[in-house]
């Protein structure tokens, strides 16, 4: 591998260091085009391949880590900048402070690709094992760590970019989202190795396409893609019973008005009218659709909704803030209708959104934010599916569907997935589309329909392969109606969770470590 040899203190050395950093940053930002709403799924593969070549060429692991940090800053700076909207536009935080907090958050997230890049260069392995073993292993393990450290933020995991259009989506029910990330990073490593081998031959650029096809690595890539396509033909689950009619209510209540007391009655009337107009057996209202505690609802309000649901032979589910006794408040979904009343309470709470951790340390942050209903209690992790509308519904609220291994707690008993969310916090940004794509991964992993009831969008019905059947336009009052089927059975991911991705990732890492040890011994 070539390396930068000019002194870092000289102008040439600084330029030689800066150019790869800028390139890595731009490659990270470009990767966002692979995710919703763009869905250019080859872009993250090519961007990671190009970045990996830069990391391997770095003169030392520290430099590679800085290049990985640059890649992460580009990826998250372009991809999750909607955090600023939440903090400033709706959280009331001063613009400069909100921008600083957003930048700090993106910098924290960028530490994970930085670690993967540093490990790649630190190994001092030849290109083939570094790119085929260590890159997919460290990238996948870094994403998994990012998904649980400090309660986790697995947003923009590279596997999400491949669902549902890419051949690699076929790995979702087998290996889960991190398994798709593993396959994607492996494909990126294969691509990088092919380019490296051709480049080492000092061929002119016009001869690269032909030469790349002669490299053995490229045929491994073809095998990875072919296996993904073959897996897409496999039916891991099967439909059960007759289709169920559903109505997903999107109230489009502006976030800045949602919790104003003088608007509460208007919001209650809106959701009641939209629900009563539906003839579906299963009616869903979004997260905290009813903007007050359950005990503060007007007399007879829930009973009116329940009577309508019973008239359709079904049930209505709505998000609501639930008061369950002194000091016990839950972000909940409750059911009314023909079935016994049931409740789901949100388990995975969002720091600084659903609750404030370490109030002694972050008290200043709490004082800057103006987020109502932000001191919820955590629901029990072993809640049963809601038996409503002829289905067993695995409910999840907003951000919870980002965590695949938490969704499968209610499976294989559940026949249908349902997400209740309020993505109005992110305004007219990429956040709501990215969130929809994450829900598509959960459907593909579990082999279940997913129905999403949202406040401003994207309200949608997703089929068991992760494809959008129907979606309502964003930022409009809408009732999305359709039919879903309950599904039974368990995909390998439902049975084994993230272990099916982490075990091969760990095996690749161990193989790379063994090779490094052997090279040092010799």
């Amino acid at each position: 591998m070539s390396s930068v040899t000019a002194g870092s203190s000289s102008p040439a050395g600084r330029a030689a260091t800066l150019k790869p950093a800028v390139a890595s940053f731009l490659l990270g930002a470009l990767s966002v085009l692979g995710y919703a709403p763009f869905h250019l799924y080859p872009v993250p593969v090519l961007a990671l391949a190009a970045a990996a070549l830069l990391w391997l060429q770095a003169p030392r692991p520290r430099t590679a880590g800085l290049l990985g940090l640059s890649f992460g800053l580009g990826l998250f700076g372009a991809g999750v900048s909607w955090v600023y909207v939440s903090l400033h536009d709706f959280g009331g935080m001063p613009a400069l402070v909100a921008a600083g907090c957003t930048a700090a958050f993106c910098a924290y997230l960028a530490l994970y690709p930085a670690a993967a890049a540093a490990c790649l260069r630190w190994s001092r392995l030849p290109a083939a094992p570094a790119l085929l073993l260590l890159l997919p292993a460290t990238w996948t393990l870094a994403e998994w760590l990012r998904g649980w450290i400090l309660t986790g933020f697995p947003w923009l995991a590279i596997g999400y970019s491949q669902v549902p259009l890419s051949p690699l989506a076929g790995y979702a029910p087998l290996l889960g989202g991190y398994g798709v990330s593993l396959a994607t990073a492996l494909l990126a490593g294969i691509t990088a190795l092919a380019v490296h081998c051709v480049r080492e031959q000092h061929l002119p650029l016009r001869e690269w396409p032909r030469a790349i096809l002669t490299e053995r690595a490229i045929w491994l890539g073809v095998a990875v893609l072919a296996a993904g396509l073959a897996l897409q033909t496999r039916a891991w689950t099967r439909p059960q019973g007759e289709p169920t009619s559903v109505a997903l209510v999107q109230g489009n209540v502006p976030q800045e008005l949602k919790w104003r007391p003088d608007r509460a009655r208007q919001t209650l009337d809106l959701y009641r009218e939209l629900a009563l107009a539906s003839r579906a057996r299963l009616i869903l209202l979004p997260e905290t659709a009813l903007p007050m505690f359950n005990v503060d609802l007007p007399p007879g309000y829930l009973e009116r909704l329940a009577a309508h649901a019973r008239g359709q032979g079904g049930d209505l589910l709505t998000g609501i803030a639930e008061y369950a006794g002194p000091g016990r408040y839950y972000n909940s979904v409750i059911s009314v209708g023909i079935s016994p009343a049931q409740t789901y309470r949100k388990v995975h709470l969002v720091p600084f959104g659903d609750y404030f951790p370490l109030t002694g340390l972050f008290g200043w942050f709490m004082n800057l934010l103006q987020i109502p209903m932000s001191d919820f209690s955590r629901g029990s992790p072993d809640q049963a599916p809601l038996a409503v509308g002829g289905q067993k519904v695995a409910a999840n609220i907003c951000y919870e569907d980002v965590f695949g291994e938490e969704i499968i707690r209610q499976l294989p008993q559940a026949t249908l997935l349902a997400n209740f969310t309020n993505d109005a916090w992110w305004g007219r940004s990429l956040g709501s589309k990215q969130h929809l794509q994450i829900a598509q991964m959960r459907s593909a992993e579990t082999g279940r329909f997913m129905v999403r009831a949202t406040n401003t969008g994207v309200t949608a019905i997703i089929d068991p392969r992760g494809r959008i059947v129907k979606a309502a336009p964003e930022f409009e009052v809408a009732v999305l109606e359709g039919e879903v089927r309950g599904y039974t059975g368990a995909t390998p991911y439902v049975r084994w969770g993230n272990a099916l991705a982490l075990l091969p990732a760990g095996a690749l890492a161990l193989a790379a470590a063994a090779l490094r040890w052997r090279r040092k011994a010799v």
Side-chain angles (χ1 to χ4, degrees), residues 242-399:
E242 296 299 316
T244 297
S245 59
V246 296
L248 312 176
V249 180
Q250 180 175 293
N252 193 35
V253 179
Q255 186 61 35
E256 62 270 21
L257 302 178
K258 181 176 173 64
W259 296 105
R260 279 178 43 177
D262 60 319
R263 288 288 300 241
R265 188 73 212 194
Q266 184 177 340
T267 300
L268 292 176
D269 292 344
L270 170 67
Y271 276 111
R272 182 186 61 210
E273 291 169 7
L274 293 173
L276 296 184
S278 170
R279 295 293 177 263
R281 187 178 181 188
L282 188 57
I283 304 170
L284 278 67
L285 279 58
E287 177 188 15
T288 56
L290 311 183
M292 57 184 62
F293 284 110
N294 57 321
V295 294
D296 296 328
L297 286 171
Y301 184 86
L302 283 181
E303 179 51 38
R304 182 70 183 91
L305 296 178
H308 174 72
R310 287 193 293 267
Q312 310 309 311
D315 298 278
L316 179 145
L317 299 175
T318 183
I320 194 169
E322 179 195 3
Y323 174 79
R328 295 169 57 212
Y329 311 95
Y330 296 95
N331 189 348
S332 299
V333 170
I334 61 174
S335 76
V336 295
I338 199 168
S339 305
Q342 297 158 75
T343 301
Y344 170 79
R345 294 168 171 169
K346 189 175 183 181
V347 180
H348 198 123
L349 304 179
V350 182
F352 307 110
D354 290 320
Y355 76 105
F356 285 94
L358 303 174
T359 54
L361 181 62
F362 293 107
W364 65 272
F365 194 83
M366 295 169 60
N367 294 332
L368 287 172
L369 289 174
Q370 302 167 21
I371 299 178
M373 300 293 181
S374 56
D375 192 22
F376 286 116
S377 303
R378 181 173 180 260
S380 171
D382 58 355
Q383 299 174 72
L386 305 177
V388 291
Q391 301 290 340
K392 293 181 180 178
V393 178
N396 53 90
I397 298 175
C398 194
Y399 183 69

Side-chain angles (χ1 to χ4, degrees), residues 144-197:
W144 174 70
L145 288 171
R146 178 162 62 88
W148 69 266
I149 291 177
L150 300 177
T151 79
F153 189 80
W155 213 276
L156 292 187
I158 200 169
Y160 287 129
S161 68
Q162 305 302 301
V163 172
L165 301 175
S166 166
L168 300 181
Y171 291 100
L174 178 64
L175 304 176
Y178 291 122
V180 181
S181 287
L182 180 67
T184 306
L186 175 58
L187 192 60
I190 292 167
T191 305
L193 180 59
V195 170
H196 167 75
C197 292

Side-chain angles (χ1 to χ4, degrees), residues 26-40:
L26 293 176
L27 287 169
L30 190 66
S31 298
V32 176
L33 295 176
Y35 300 85
F38 311 106
H39 295 288
L40 301 176

Side-chain angles (χ1 to χ4, degrees), residues 208-219:
W208 278 31
R210 176 186 57 80
I212 284 176
L213 289 175
T214 67
E215 295 298 332
R216 296 178 184 176
I218 209 68
W219 298 111

